[in-house]
Amino acid sequence: MPGRSSSSSGSTGFISFSGIESALSSLKDFQSCISSGMETASSVAFDLVETQTEVSSEYSMDKAMVELAMMDRELSHYVKAVQSAISHVKEERPEKVPDLKLLVEKKFLALQNKNCDADFQNNAKFVQFKQQLKELKKQSAKPKEDGGHNEVDKIKDKDASRAGNERDGLQADREADGTEGVDEDMIVTQSQTNFICPITQVEMKRPVKNKVCGHTYEEEAIVRMIESKHRRKKKACCPKIGCSHTDVRMSDLIQDEALRRAIESHNKKKNRPSE
């Protein structure tokens, strides 16, 4: 950042901000690097939860996300301070060129003094990371709580634990009615239904969640639907039956990493050779 410019006339008309604007462009590029770093840290944290790696490793990723979010906030404040300083000089057109370095530092410190933990709620990637991590922990905790069994196994274990005659009687009734395994099938079917896109009616590969209504769709399908509606100057309604949300926007969509991993895990188990 340059200090006080040395202009013989002292007029702001001779000030060129091209160098500063070029530096700002580089800073914005660095912001995209921070964004990529947050995506990598999120992916590693999700892998650690899925593989049930020790909590300290997961905590390290959580800490890394906080540090990256702080870097992003600080860089955003500096970019705003520089832009504000440039606008100030261009609008005020003072007779004497101000010390731009001091002006930027003053504006930067003013922004930094307003920092608080609530700022992280404005960082979309950080918020998404916390939400997805919470969902994955729920999914990973279920097998652990059930002794490594899934929901179907849990029902079977419960049936097996029933006392002799009651268990045998129930089993006989199920066989007689032809309804044996109905509960298990309902649970599996319900789980698979959550994997189906309401637009394509097939299992999702790249699910995205609507931040407004919470429904999930296949990314390509919902993007295509929104674009089609907008070309006709219309709003895109949420395609989920019964949803009252009538204005789905691109900015409302976030990657649903937890669901994507749940679908992949389900398919791996489904395709695993039976022992």
Side-chain angles (χ1 to χ4, degrees), residues 194-209:
N194 296 331
F195 300 162
I196 302 300
C197 171
I199 304 171
T200 64
Q201 292 302 309
V202 297
E203 188 175 270
M204 293 177 280
K205 294 182 179 179
R206 288 179 58 84
V208 290
K209 179 180 285 187

Side-chain angles (χ1 to χ4, degrees), residues 170-269:
L170 179 61
Q171 186 69 17
D173 289 341
R174 283 185 173 180
E175 289 175 356
D177 297 338
T179 58
E180 184 179 9
V182 169
D183 290 342
E184 291 90 333
D185 292 339
M186 286 177 63
I187 289 173
V188 172
T189 302
Q190 185 177 13
S191 175
Q192 289 174 326
T193 301
N194 296 331
F195 300 162
I196 302 300
C197 171
I199 304 171
T200 64
Q201 292 302 309
V202 297
E203 188 175 270
M204 293 177 280
K205 294 182 179 179
R206 288 179 58 84
V208 290
K209 179 180 285 187
N210 189 325
K211 293 187 293 185
V212 178
C213 63
H215 293 127
T216 311
Y217 335 96
E218 178 64 49
E219 182 177 29
E220 184 179 352
I222 188 65
V223 168
R224 191 164 57 238
M225 189 189 87
I226 294 173
E227 290 176 343
S228 175
K229 291 287 186 179
H230 287 183
R231 278 196 296 270
R232 289 176 284 160
K233 308 297 181 183
K234 294 182 178 181
K235 293 180 180 180
C237 297
C238 175
K240 186 74 174 179
I241 296 175
C243 183
S244 59
H245 185 42
T246 58
D247 189 13
V248 181
R249 302 168 183 265
M250 296 286 196
S251 57
D252 295 335
L253 306 177
I254 58 173
Q255 295 292 329
D256 196 334
E257 183 68 14
L259 181 58
R260 184 187 69 78
R261 287 169 179 263
I263 294 172
E264 287 183 354
S265 176
H266 170 76
N267 288 333
K268 284 178 183 177
K269 291 176 181 177

Side-chain angles (χ1 to χ4, degrees), residues 50-149:
E50 272 193 331
T51 55
Q52 298 184 353
T53 308
E54 59 185 60
V55 178
S56 60
S57 298
E58 175 204 320
Y59 172 76
S60 296
M61 289 301 99
D62 191 82
K63 188 177 178 182
M65 284 295 289
V66 172
E67 290 176 353
L68 286 166
M70 289 174 66
M71 287 173 61
D72 184 66
R73 179 178 62 185
E74 187 171 345
L75 189 55
S76 293
H77 284 172
Y78 193 78
V79 169
K80 286 179 182 177
V82 174
Q83 290 173 332
S84 178
I86 292 174
S87 296
H88 173 80
V89 174
K90 286 182 177 179
E91 290 172 7
E92 296 295 325
R93 298 184 65 81
E95 292 183 6
K96 203 172 183 181
V97 179
D99 189 322
L100 293 180
K101 182 178 180 181
L102 289 177
L103 186 58
V104 168
E105 287 177 352
K106 182 179 178 181
K107 292 180 178 294
F108 174 68
L109 287 174
L111 289 170
Q112 287 289 91
N113 287 335
K114 296 178 181 178
N115 286 348
C116 64
D117 291 342
D119 294 341
F120 294 139
Q121 298 305 313
N122 297 322
N123 188 308
K125 285 192 180 297
F126 184 79
V127 172
Q128 185 179 347
F129 164 74
K130 300 298 286 186
Q131 291 174 343
Q132 302 280 7
L133 192 63
K134 186 178 179 180
E135 288 298 318
L136 277 173
K137 283 181 178 179
K138 283 182 182 178
Q139 293 174 18
S140 298
K142 285 180 181 179
K144 194 173 182 181
E145 291 169 0
D146 301 336
H149 295 169

